[in-house]
Amino acid sequence: DGVTEVLAHRGESLRDKFIEIPCSEDYDSHTRFEGCTPRKCGRGVTDAVITREEAERIRRIAERGLSLGGSDGGASILDLHSGALSLGKHFVNLYRYFGDKIQDIFTEEDFALYRDVRQRIQQRIAQAFGISSASMYLTKPTFFSRINNTEAKTTHDEYWHPHVDKVTYGSFDYTSLLYLSDYSEDFGGGRFVFIDAGSNKTIEPQAGRVSFFTSGSENLHRVEKVHWGTRYAITISFTCNPDHGIGDPVLI
């Protein structure tokens, strides 16, 4: 693993931390959208965009949704946009599977909070990278994750492999993570790791902390295996290509 530098410790409150790094060539093989496609690349962490109380409310949305299903392995996802929900070794469409009962699980206030949080994160990313938030579009997959130490049953459960978001999902230009639980208090392991030549840069999750970064190879990363407890987060992704944009989830 090499030398590890902690970019953000649990328990500290970071107003804004931003590190600029050279862009990879990944963006050159996709259509460029001036004023949005990264020319300035980097990674940031902030504890000043989402409050702890808001993060706890968001986590309760995830808990309610994921209580309806859950993977047989250690990693479960809930995507409010598409309705995808881990169930055993497969996925079901939450909205089709549960139909009108969805109204008993989620409220309009839940979705309004989700939308508000997404907008604030989008504005923060735009500000950090010097682009207009209006030129960014939410893209898929944007989803909640719940990770525990249950042994992986399918490749979907193997969340810990190093990867590049833009290679995995061509539409991604900017990736963000909102953490919904606390490293070393709610779970052990499960830190977020940027893999750089010669050293790793690590973020210790805490409820309300947002990390964000350009999605190319300049930000190769992985999540450590969770050893105990349960780690909740939400991945919120943005594209510069309006053709790959998705709307906010709505309560059907």
Side-chain angles (χ1 to χ4, degrees):
D1 272 348
V3 179
T4 296
E5 176 191 339
V6 179
L7 290 182
H9 291 270
R10 187 186 80 78
E12 70 179 324
S13 182
L14 292 171
R15 175 128 201 99
D16 286 305
K17 186 168 193 170
F18 184 79
I19 297 157
E20 188 170 349
I21 50 179
C23 292
S24 64
E25 295 175 357
D26 297 2
Y27 308 98
D28 298 339
S29 55
H30 296 264
T31 306
R32 292 194 76 91
F33 293 86
E34 280 313 312
C36 181
T37 300
R39 292 202 179 276
K40 170 184 175 180
C41 291
R43 52 188 71 150
V45 189
T46 177
D47 297 314
V49 175
I50 310 301
T51 68
R52 194 171 180 83
E53 188 262 341
E54 286 167 333
E56 286 165 358
R57 284 168 59 202
I58 289 265
R59 188 179 73 215
R60 287 196 287 274
I61 299 172
E63 287 170 341
R64 289 200 303 275
L66 285 159
S67 71
L68 302 172
S71 165
D72 286 346
S76 301
I77 73 145
L78 165 64
D79 182 334
L80 289 180
H81 302 266
S82 68
L85 172 70
S86 301
L87 189 66
K89 292 185 175 64
H90 307 283
F91 296 94
V92 295
N93 185 310
L94 179 77
Y95 301 121
R96 281 207 296 271
Y97 203 75
F98 293 98
D100 294 342
K101 294 194 184 72
I102 285 297
Q103 308 275 357
D104 302 330
I105 301 153
F106 303 121
T107 66
E108 290 290 358
E109 288 77 18
D110 291 337
F111 280 63
L113 174 64
Y114 182 98
R115 191 166 56 245
D116 180 40
V117 162
R118 189 273 303 163
Q119 285 167 345
R120 276 186 271 156
I121 292 171
Q122 183 168 344
Q123 285 159 1
R124 180 67 197 92
I125 294 172
Q127 185 185 349
F129 289 101
I131 61 175
S132 160
S133 68
S135 67
M136 299 164 66
Y137 302 89
L138 196 62
T139 193
K140 63 183 180 183
T142 280
F143 58 92
F144 288 106
S145 58
R146 182 186 71 193
I147 305 174
N148 60 33
N149 67 350
T150 307
E151 188 184 340
K153 300 293 191 291
T154 71
T155 53
H156 292 295
D157 296 318
E158 297 183 13
Y159 56 84
W160 54 82
H161 299 297
H163 63 278
V164 171
D165 288 350
K166 192 147 190 75
V167 173
T168 309
Y169 311 106
S171 63
F172 281 30
D173 291 304
Y174 300 93
T175 307
S176 71
L177 293 144
L178 167 59
Y179 299 108
L180 304 174
S181 49
D182 294 332
Y183 168 71
S184 85
E185 191 167 304
D186 298 316
F187 61 91
R191 295 181 305 170
F192 183 95
V193 183
F194 289 110
I195 303 167
D196 294 339
S199 76
N200 292 334
K201 311 291 191 301
T202 298
I203 293 170
E204 298 179 351
Q206 65 183 13
R209 172 165 286 168
V210 176
S211 67
F212 59 89
F213 49 93
T214 43
S215 306
S217 307
E218 67 278 359
N219 282 313
L220 175 68
H221 61 275
R222 70 183 190 93
V223 172
E224 294 174 330
K225 284 188 180 181
V226 169
H227 302 308
W228 58 267
T230 306
R231 177 194 194 270
Y232 283 93
I234 177 168
T235 301
I236 302 176
S237 323
F238 299 97
T239 184
C240 295
N241 186 341
D243 292 345
H244 292 144
I246 61 172
D248 285 303
V250 290
L251 196 56
I252 298 163

